[in-house]
mmCIF file of all heavy atoms in Angstrom:
data_model
loop_
_atom_site.group_PDB
_atom_site.id
_atom_site.type_symbol
_atom_site.label_atom_id
_atom_site.label_comp_id
_atom_site.label_asym_id
_atom_site.label_seq_id
_atom_site.Cartn_x
_atom_site.Cartn_y
_atom_site.Cartn_z
ATOM 1 N N ALA A 269 -43.100 -3.771 25.632
ATOM 2 C CA ALA A 269 -42.963 -3.602 27.087
ATOM 3 C C ALA A 269 -41.544 -3.890 27.561
ATOM 4 O O ALA A 269 -41.138 -3.454 28.657
ATOM 5 C CB ALA A 269 -43.958 -4.516 27.809
ATOM 6 N N GLN A 270 -40.796 -4.666 26.768
ATOM 7 C CA GLN A 270 -39.427 -4.996 27.141
ATOM 8 C C GLN A 270 -38.430 -3.943 26.659
ATOM 9 O O GLN A 270 -37.228 -4.165 26.711
ATOM 10 C CB GLN A 270 -39.047 -6.360 26.544
ATOM 11 C CG GLN A 270 -39.855 -7.524 27.100
ATOM 12 C CD GLN A 270 -39.639 -7.686 28.589
ATOM 13 O OE1 GLN A 270 -38.512 -7.704 29.063
ATOM 14 N NE2 GLN A 270 -40.729 -7.767 29.348
ATOM 15 N N ILE A 271 -38.938 -2.822 26.180
ATOM 16 C CA ILE A 271 -38.064 -1.733 25.717
ATOM 17 C C ILE A 271 -38.214 -0.556 26.670
ATOM 18 O O ILE A 271 -39.325 -0.067 26.885
ATOM 19 C CB ILE A 271 -38.443 -1.320 24.280
ATOM 20 C CG1 ILE A 271 -38.254 -2.495 23.325
ATOM 21 C CG2 ILE A 271 -37.612 -0.132 23.818
ATOM 22 C CD1 ILE A 271 -38.732 -2.249 21.928
ATOM 23 N N ARG A 272 -37.102 -0.147 27.241
ATOM 24 C CA ARG A 272 -37.136 0.964 28.216
ATOM 25 C C ARG A 272 -36.210 2.082 27.785
ATOM 26 O O ARG A 272 -35.140 1.834 27.248
ATOM 27 C CB ARG A 272 -36.711 0.445 29.602
ATOM 28 C CG ARG A 272 -37.789 -0.337 30.327
ATOM 29 C CD ARG A 272 -37.232 -1.034 31.536
ATOM 30 N NE ARG A 272 -36.557 -2.269 31.167
ATOM 31 C CZ ARG A 272 -35.929 -3.051 32.025
ATOM 32 N NH1 ARG A 272 -35.876 -2.714 33.291
ATOM 33 N NH2 ARG A 272 -35.351 -4.176 31.632
ATOM 34 N N GLU A 273 -36.679 3.298 28.051
ATOM 35 C CA GLU A 273 -35.855 4.456 27.687
ATOM 36 C C GLU A 273 -34.823 4.739 28.767
ATOM 37 O O GLU A 273 -35.139 4.657 29.967
ATOM 38 C CB GLU A 273 -36.750 5.675 27.489
ATOM 39 C CG GLU A 273 -35.988 6.852 26.871
ATOM 40 C CD GLU A 273 -36.930 7.840 26.205
ATOM 41 O OE1 GLU A 273 -38.118 7.544 26.091
ATOM 42 O OE2 GLU A 273 -36.447 8.908 25.811
ATOM 43 N N LEU A 274 -33.596 5.027 28.357
ATOM 44 C CA LEU A 274 -32.538 5.357 29.316
ATOM 45 C C LEU A 274 -32.578 6.850 29.592
ATOM 46 O O LEU A 274 -32.619 7.673 28.665
ATOM 47 C CB LEU A 274 -31.174 4.955 28.742
ATOM 48 C CG LEU A 274 -31.025 3.478 28.327
ATOM 49 C CD1 LEU A 274 -29.633 3.221 27.766
ATOM 50 C CD2 LEU A 274 -31.272 2.564 29.524
ATOM 51 N N GLN A 275 -32.528 7.221 30.863
ATOM 52 C CA GLN A 275 -32.621 8.614 31.256
ATOM 53 C C GLN A 275 -31.227 9.169 31.560
ATOM 54 O O GLN A 275 -30.301 8.437 31.935
ATOM 55 C CB GLN A 275 -33.516 8.763 32.495
ATOM 56 C CG GLN A 275 -34.933 8.243 32.309
ATOM 57 C CD GLN A 275 -35.711 9.051 31.273
ATOM 58 O OE1 GLN A 275 -35.479 10.260 31.129
ATOM 59 N NE2 GLN A 275 -36.617 8.391 30.582
ATOM 60 N N THR A 276 -31.095 10.458 31.379
ATOM 61 C CA THR A 276 -29.859 11.157 31.783
ATOM 62 C C THR A 276 -30.248 12.280 32.727
ATOM 63 O O THR A 276 -31.369 12.789 32.684
ATOM 64 C CB THR A 276 -29.122 11.730 30.561
ATOM 65 O OG1 THR A 276 -29.958 12.697 29.928
ATOM 66 C CG2 THR A 276 -28.757 10.640 29.580
ATOM 67 N N ARG A 277 -29.309 12.672 33.566
ATOM 68 C CA ARG A 277 -29.556 13.809 34.446
ATOM 69 C C ARG A 277 -28.352 14.723 34.431
ATOM 70 O O ARG A 277 -27.219 14.293 34.225
ATOM 71 C CB ARG A 277 -29.840 13.332 35.886
ATOM 72 C CG ARG A 277 -28.719 12.582 36.549
ATOM 73 C CD ARG A 277 -29.143 12.125 37.933
ATOM 74 N NE ARG A 277 -28.157 11.228 38.529
ATOM 75 C CZ ARG A 277 -27.084 11.627 39.185
ATOM 76 N NH1 ARG A 277 -26.871 12.924 39.322
ATOM 77 N NH2 ARG A 277 -26.218 10.774 39.684
ATOM 78 N N ARG A 278 -28.647 15.988 34.643
ATOM 79 C CA ARG A 278 -27.602 17.003 34.556
ATOM 80 C C ARG A 278 -26.766 17.012 35.834
ATOM 81 O O ARG A 278 -27.303 16.912 36.940
ATOM 82 C CB ARG A 278 -28.246 18.387 34.340
ATOM 83 C CG ARG A 278 -27.296 19.420 33.817
ATOM 84 C CD ARG A 278 -28.074 20.671 33.412
ATOM 85 N NE ARG A 278 -27.204 21.647 32.802
ATOM 86 C CZ ARG A 278 -26.847 21.630 31.532
ATOM 87 N NH1 ARG A 278 -27.297 20.689 30.747
ATOM 88 N NH2 ARG A 278 -26.055 22.558 31.040
ATOM 89 N N THR A 279 -25.475 17.127 35.714
ATOM 90 C CA THR A 279 -24.590 17.228 36.865
ATOM 91 C C THR A 279 -23.730 18.479 36.745
ATOM 92 O O THR A 279 -23.538 19.013 35.640
ATOM 93 C CB THR A 279 -23.644 16.012 36.955
ATOM 94 O OG1 THR A 279 -22.877 15.950 35.772
ATOM 95 C CG2 THR A 279 -24.432 14.733 37.124
ATOM 96 N N ALA A 280 -23.247 18.942 37.861
ATOM 97 C CA ALA A 280 -22.454 20.177 37.862
ATOM 98 C C ALA A 280 -21.081 19.960 37.255
ATOM 99 O O ALA A 280 -20.573 20.767 36.499
ATOM 100 C CB ALA A 280 -22.315 20.712 39.280
ATOM 101 N N LEU A 281 -20.456 18.882 37.604
ATOM 102 C CA LEU A 281 -19.111 18.618 37.134
ATOM 103 C C LEU A 281 -19.032 17.191 36.606
ATOM 104 O O LEU A 281 -19.804 16.305 36.990
ATOM 105 C CB LEU A 281 -18.078 18.767 38.266
ATOM 106 C CG LEU A 281 -17.935 20.161 38.849
ATOM 107 C CD1 LEU A 281 -17.000 20.111 40.041
ATOM 108 C CD2 LEU A 281 -17.420 21.146 37.796
ATOM 109 N N ALA A 282 -18.120 16.973 35.695
ATOM 110 C CA ALA A 282 -17.929 15.626 35.194
ATOM 111 C C ALA A 282 -17.423 14.722 36.310
ATOM 112 O O ALA A 282 -16.715 15.155 37.209
ATOM 113 C CB ALA A 282 -16.897 15.643 34.046
ATOM 114 N N ALA A 283 -17.821 13.473 36.252
ATOM 115 C CA ALA A 283 -17.395 12.544 37.280
ATOM 116 C C ALA A 283 -15.902 12.316 37.234
ATOM 117 O O ALA A 283 -15.333 12.222 36.153
ATOM 118 C CB ALA A 283 -18.124 11.225 37.108
ATOM 119 N N PRO A 284 -15.256 12.257 38.384
ATOM 120 C CA PRO A 284 -13.819 12.003 38.370
ATOM 121 C C PRO A 284 -13.532 10.590 37.894
ATOM 122 O O PRO A 284 -14.351 9.689 38.042
ATOM 123 C CB PRO A 284 -13.422 12.160 39.849
ATOM 124 C CG PRO A 284 -14.674 11.911 40.609
ATOM 125 C CD PRO A 284 -15.777 12.387 39.758
ATOM 126 N N LEU A 285 -12.356 10.423 37.320
ATOM 127 C CA LEU A 285 -11.977 9.130 36.779
ATOM 128 C C LEU A 285 -11.314 8.288 37.853
ATOM 129 O O LEU A 285 -10.157 7.897 37.728
ATOM 130 C CB LEU A 285 -11.031 9.337 35.593
ATOM 131 C CG LEU A 285 -11.603 10.128 34.429
ATOM 132 C CD1 LEU A 285 -10.544 10.369 33.384
ATOM 133 C CD2 LEU A 285 -12.811 9.411 33.861
ATOM 134 N N ALA A 286 -12.037 8.037 38.954
ATOM 135 C CA ALA A 286 -11.437 7.307 40.053
ATOM 136 C C ALA A 286 -11.374 5.812 39.798
ATOM 137 O O ALA A 286 -10.444 5.131 40.153
ATOM 138 C CB ALA A 286 -12.230 7.572 41.340
ATOM 139 N N GLU A 287 -12.424 5.309 39.174
ATOM 140 C CA GLU A 287 -12.477 3.856 38.975
ATOM 141 C C GLU A 287 -11.582 3.436 37.816
ATOM 142 O O GLU A 287 -11.259 4.225 36.936
ATOM 143 C CB GLU A 287 -13.910 3.436 38.675
ATOM 144 C CG GLU A 287 -14.428 4.082 37.409
ATOM 145 C CD GLU A 287 -15.819 3.610 37.101
ATOM 146 O OE1 GLU A 287 -16.099 2.439 37.367
ATOM 147 O OE2 GLU A 287 -16.609 4.395 36.607
ATOM 148 N N GLU A 288 -11.195 2.204 37.860
ATOM 149 C CA GLU A 288 -10.449 1.620 36.750
ATOM 150 C C GLU A 288 -11.455 0.977 35.803
ATOM 151 O O GLU A 288 -12.021 -0.082 36.110
ATOM 152 C CB GLU A 288 -9.473 0.562 37.250
ATOM 153 C CG GLU A 288 -8.574 -0.023 36.182
ATOM 154 C CD GLU A 288 -7.592 0.988 35.625
ATOM 155 O OE1 GLU A 288 -7.331 2.000 36.307
ATOM 156 O OE2 GLU A 288 -7.083 0.777 34.537
ATOM 157 N N PRO A 289 -11.789 1.621 34.731
ATOM 158 C CA PRO A 289 -12.882 1.131 33.911
ATOM 159 C C PRO A 289 -12.465 -0.077 33.076
ATOM 160 O O PRO A 289 -11.265 -0.295 32.849
ATOM 161 C CB PRO A 289 -13.143 2.328 32.990
ATOM 162 C CG PRO A 289 -11.803 2.955 32.854
ATOM 163 C CD PRO A 289 -11.091 2.755 34.133
ATOM 164 N N PRO A 290 -13.444 -0.805 32.626
ATOM 165 C CA PRO A 290 -13.108 -1.851 31.676
ATOM 166 C C PRO A 290 -12.571 -1.217 30.403
ATOM 167 O O PRO A 290 -13.091 -0.199 29.942
ATOM 168 C CB PRO A 290 -14.447 -2.543 31.417
ATOM 169 C CG PRO A 290 -15.484 -1.546 31.798
ATOM 170 C CD PRO A 290 -14.867 -0.708 32.874
ATOM 171 N N THR A 291 -11.543 -1.784 29.847
ATOM 172 C CA THR A 291 -10.952 -1.199 28.664
ATOM 173 C C THR A 291 -11.572 -1.796 27.418
ATOM 174 O O THR A 291 -12.322 -2.761 27.457
ATOM 175 C CB THR A 291 -9.436 -1.476 28.620
ATOM 176 O OG1 THR A 291 -9.256 -2.870 28.407
ATOM 177 C CG2 THR A 291 -8.780 -1.046 29.918
ATOM 178 N N ALA A 292 -11.210 -1.149 26.302
ATOM 179 C CA ALA A 292 -11.766 -1.606 25.035
ATOM 180 C C ALA A 292 -11.293 -3.016 24.691
ATOM 181 O O ALA A 292 -11.871 -3.678 23.848
ATOM 182 C CB ALA A 292 -11.377 -0.647 23.914
ATOM 183 N N GLU A 293 -10.209 -3.483 25.341
ATOM 184 C CA GLU A 293 -9.735 -4.822 25.035
ATOM 185 C C GLU A 293 -10.815 -5.851 25.310
ATOM 186 O O GLU A 293 -10.883 -6.870 24.642
ATOM 187 C CB GLU A 293 -8.519 -5.152 25.899
ATOM 188 C CG GLU A 293 -7.268 -4.378 25.521
ATOM 189 C CD GLU A 293 -6.125 -4.733 26.429
ATOM 190 O OE1 GLU A 293 -5.699 -5.890 26.382
ATOM 191 O OE2 GLU A 293 -5.680 -3.881 27.198
ATOM 192 N N GLU A 294 -11.685 -5.572 26.317
ATOM 193 C CA GLU A 294 -12.671 -6.562 26.694
ATOM 194 C C GLU A 294 -13.709 -6.760 25.625
ATOM 195 O O GLU A 294 -14.436 -7.746 25.615
ATOM 196 C CB GLU A 294 -13.339 -6.120 28.001
ATOM 197 C CG GLU A 294 -12.353 -6.088 29.154
ATOM 198 C CD GLU A 294 -12.964 -5.412 30.365
ATOM 199 O OE1 GLU A 294 -14.147 -5.097 30.331
ATOM 200 O OE2 GLU A 294 -12.237 -5.230 31.351
ATOM 201 N N ASP A 295 -13.817 -5.803 24.679
ATOM 202 C CA ASP A 295 -14.826 -5.931 23.638
ATOM 203 C C ASP A 295 -14.270 -6.562 22.382
ATOM 204 O O ASP A 295 -14.955 -6.699 21.392
ATOM 205 C CB ASP A 295 -15.367 -4.535 23.268
ATOM 206 C CG ASP A 295 -16.111 -3.939 24.436
ATOM 207 O OD1 ASP A 295 -16.679 -4.719 25.209
ATOM 208 O OD2 ASP A 295 -16.114 -2.710 24.563
#
Side-chain angles (χ1 to χ4, degrees):
Q270 295 298 311
I271 299 174
R272 282 169 280 177
E273 190 159 352
L274 304 179
Q275 302 295 328
T276 62
R277 62 182 172 84
R278 198 170 185 82
T279 59
L281 296 174
L285 299 174
E287 62 177 324
E288 185 67 20
T291 69
E293 289 179 66
E294 296 170 5
D295 294 330

